[in-house]
Amino acid sequence: MTTANTANTANTANTAITAITGIDTAELAVAPPPPGPRLPVAVQTLLFSTRRHTWLPKLRRRYGDVVRLRIYPERSVVEIADVELIRAIFSGSNTVFHAGEGNVILKPVMGEHSVLLTDEDQHLRARKLLMPAFHGAALRGYRDMVSELADAEAARWPTGRPFPTHARMQALTLEVILRVVFGVAEGPRLDELRMLLGRLVDVGPIDILGWHNPKLQRIGPWRRYARGQQRVDELLYAEIGERKLAGDLADRGDVLSRLLLVTVDGERLSDVELRDQLVTLLLAGHETTATALAWALHELARHPALLDRAIRAADGRTQEDDKYLEAVAKESMRLHPVISEVARKLTTDLVVGGYRIPAGHTVMPSIALVQGDPAHHADPEKFRPDRFLGEGPPTGTWLPFGGGVRRCLGAGFSLMEATVMLRSVLSRYRIAADRPRPEPAKARHITMVPARGARVVAWPRR
């Protein structure tokens, strides 16, 4: 490394440290490591994987807003629950905070070009090429397609008996990705992709073990998963190849067709990049939106007055009605965060909140701890969509889509999707809880889902 490069790296680290802590790098030598539990890695990994929604609040009460954990495979991660520190991390240099490296566990499935797995210039290039497919005008173009699919799904719901809404919302969001994002037309390819992708997104801890172990991929369930993933890739590349030859791309309304038309500095996404971004949109947008909607219905079914207000909004067609349905979705995401934190791997030693964190460690701004903090949200355990009307909660205290330059590109799509789907369900049905006691959350790979599938009873309104 040249002297000039060394100086630039030092300056970058200096700026990031000052932004976060307001102290000089000299304090790195004396700053202590973050506190945290001394349990074995295996025990901490198990607790984090299965009980993080109850374990992390206990750790915060004991150790404070900066807590070191030892979790496989990263070994050393630091949970951050202070809003100011999180804001500084999100706005920090992308050469210091590597989100792509923090998500490396997803690389075998999403691919090395995924916008979630790249950093610095490569990430910025990917965002520029993806952004046009998710701006305001594009979202308005997707709305009618989403509405048509949501109406068709709602019409199939059973009535007068309990059923799990989570499974139905998963089926719906998968259909939206196949038709609105991938743009696959009716036919054998759509049928096969529907079956294969349903398996691909149904990831459990056992499946994840095989992602990074080629030997496991030769046997049992890991072999079946690997073969399914290979077949999905074959079908996606076939779809991309055929779509590139279509003469009506500009008239098509799906995300893939829009991405094929986008250029930045004369460059387009390659076929491999398109494949990686499509799979990323599938994995990032399928489970999260479906789970948020299932939690929303779970809460509305237990709050008749709020359900009445949401039904009136579903029957209306004004901007205010849309805002209320969106507020229901946002409050669901706040009260029941689907993803509990985001990750940034450090490329240099930093002092964060008075503690020294070495390069190579991962800092994890905690979505769940911030959104459940009474200092930011009054009565945080209560479902109150009104908190998202008007000015809404304080900036930086609602984080389901992350923040900074890494904020989820599909945030607007997800909220539009949730609003449309709630309208389709509530304009057709009145829902009720199947039992008085609320469902607890349970861990499902990296997400938190309703333990019983958010079961409700639906009654036709007309």
Side-chain angles (χ1 to χ4, degrees):
M1 180 180 287
T2 66
T3 303
N5 285 338
T6 302
N8 287 337
T9 301
N11 287 336
T12 299
N14 235 348
T15 300
I17 292 167
T18 301
I20 292 175
T21 63
I23 65 173
D24 188 84
T25 53
E27 296 198 30
L28 276 169
V30 296
R38 296 185 179 182
L39 298 168
V41 171
V43 175
Q44 292 197 41
T45 301
L46 180 64
L47 287 170
F48 185 82
S49 299
T50 63
R51 304 296 302 169
R52 58 184 175 272
H53 55 301
T54 56
W55 187 48
L56 292 178
K58 293 177 182 176
L59 292 181
R60 186 188 188 188
R61 287 192 293 270
R62 179 171 180 179
Y63 297 110
D65 289 334
V66 182
V67 182
R68 179 177 180 257
L69 307 175
R70 293 184 295 157
I71 300 172
Y72 179 84
E74 291 297 318
R75 296 289 177 170
S76 187
V77 300
V78 180
E79 194 89 9
I80 309 290
D82 179 86
V83 169
E84 293 304 318
L85 291 178
I86 291 173
R87 184 177 292 116
I89 290 169
F90 283 160
S91 61
S93 170
N94 64 358
T95 64
V96 174
F97 299 100
H98 275 190
E101 286 192 73
N103 296 324
V104 71
I105 192 173
L106 302 171
K107 185 176 180 179
V109 177
M110 289 189 175
E112 63 180 321
H113 301 288
S114 165
V115 71
L116 287 183
L117 299 174
T118 51
D119 287 299
E120 301 187 28
D121 292 344
Q122 189 180 3
H123 173 257
L124 292 176
R125 174 185 176 273
R127 283 187 74 93
K128 287 180 181 178
L129 288 164
L130 291 170
M131 276 181 181
F134 294 99
H135 60 51
L139 292 179
R140 289 189 290 275
Y142 306 141
R143 191 181 185 98
D144 287 345
M145 289 191 286
V146 174
S147 181
E148 181 180 343
L149 294 171
D151 286 345
E153 167 58 34
R156 292 191 287 267
W157 280 20
T159 57
R161 61 179 177 84
F163 70 98
T165 60
H166 190 217
R168 298 317 316 153
M169 287 304 182
Q170 286 177 308
L172 176 54
T173 55
L174 177 59
E175 199 68 17
V176 167
I177 287 169
L178 284 167
R179 305 293 292 275
V180 182
V181 177
F182 293 4
V184 183
E186 290 282 1
R189 183 178 295 162
L190 176 64
D191 294 337
E192 188 175 3
L193 273 172
R194 187 183 289 120
M195 182 271 294
L196 289 170
L197 291 176
R199 173 69 185 94
L200 187 68
V201 299
D202 187 21
V203 180
I206 300 300
D207 298 300
I208 294 174
L209 286 176
W211 286 0
H212 297 269
N213 191 325
K215 291 183 179 179
L216 283 180
Q217 292 173 18
R218 302 192 194 113
I219 59 175
W222 300 286
R223 184 182 183 185
R224 290 192 293 274
Y225 190 93
R227 284 183 171 179
Q229 184 180 346
Q230 181 180 6
R231 180 55 180 159
V232 165
D233 287 350
E234 291 171 358
L235 293 170
L236 288 182
Y237 282 125
E239 187 70 28
I240 291 168
E242 290 178 14
R243 194 75 57 83
K244 289 167 72 174
L245 299 176
D248 62 345
L249 279 182
D251 298 324
R252 292 175 178 246
D254 59 272
V255 172
L256 173 57
S257 295
R258 291 178 185 272
L259 291 177
L260 285 168
L261 293 171
V262 175
T263 61
V264 173
D265 298 327
E267 291 188 50
R268 297 180 187 272
L269 289 165
S270 68
D271 288 4
V272 176
E273 288 175 313
L274 282 166
R275 176 268 172 209
D276 290 356
Q277 306 307 351
L278 289 175
V279 173
T280 297
L281 292 170
L282 165 70
L283 295 178
H286 167 261
E287 177 76 9
T288 51
T289 302
T291 303
L293 283 163
W295 278 123
L297 294 174
H298 168 275
E299 293 295 339
L300 289 175
R302 285 165 172 77
H303 295 87
L306 296 178
L307 175 62
D308 288 341
R309 174 70 181 87
I311 285 175
R312 290 195 299 273
D315 290 344
R317 288 294 186 269
T318 69
Q319 189 175 19
E320 292 303 313
D321 293 320
D322 278 354
K323 285 182 179 178
Y324 188 79
L325 294 176
E326 183 178 286
V328 169
K330 286 182 173 180
E331 175 66 347
S332 170
M333 295 175 187
R334 184 204 65 80
L335 181 59
H336 302 286
V338 182
I339 304 292
S340 61
E341 53 271 305
V342 294
R344 303 285 189 270
K345 180 164 281 192
L346 300 184
T347 63
T348 187
D349 294 0
L350 290 184
V351 175
V352 178
Y355 299 105
R356 182 178 184 272
I357 305 177
H361 284 42
T362 298
V363 293
M364 298 199 303
S366 178
I367 298 169
L369 293 178
V370 169
Q371 293 184 172
D373 192 334
H376 311 309
H377 304 278
D379 299 320
E381 75 287 352
K382 294 183 178 179
F383 183 72
R384 287 172 34 187
D386 283 357
R387 69 174 94 232
F388 285 94
L389 301 178
E391 294 184 2
T395 302
T397 64
W398 184 73
L399 306 168
F401 300 109
V405 296
R406 304 294 304 217
R407 188 174 189 272
C408 177
L409 278 167
F413 187 97
S414 177
L415 290 172
M416 176 276 292
E417 192 179 9
T419 300
V420 169
M421 291 176 180
L422 285 172
R423 172 168 276 119
S424 291
V425 170
L426 298 177
S427 62
R428 183 182 292 265
Y429 301 111
R430 184 173 186 87
I431 57 174
D434 70 324
R435 61 181 64 179
R437 187 174 181 179
E439 294 184 27
K442 73 173 183 178
R444 183 176 180 272
H445 47 82
I446 63 171
T447 63
M448 300 300 300
V449 302
R452 297 176 53 251
R455 294 171 68 86
V456 304
V457 181
W459 302 96
R461 292 181 53 213
R462 301 182 179 91

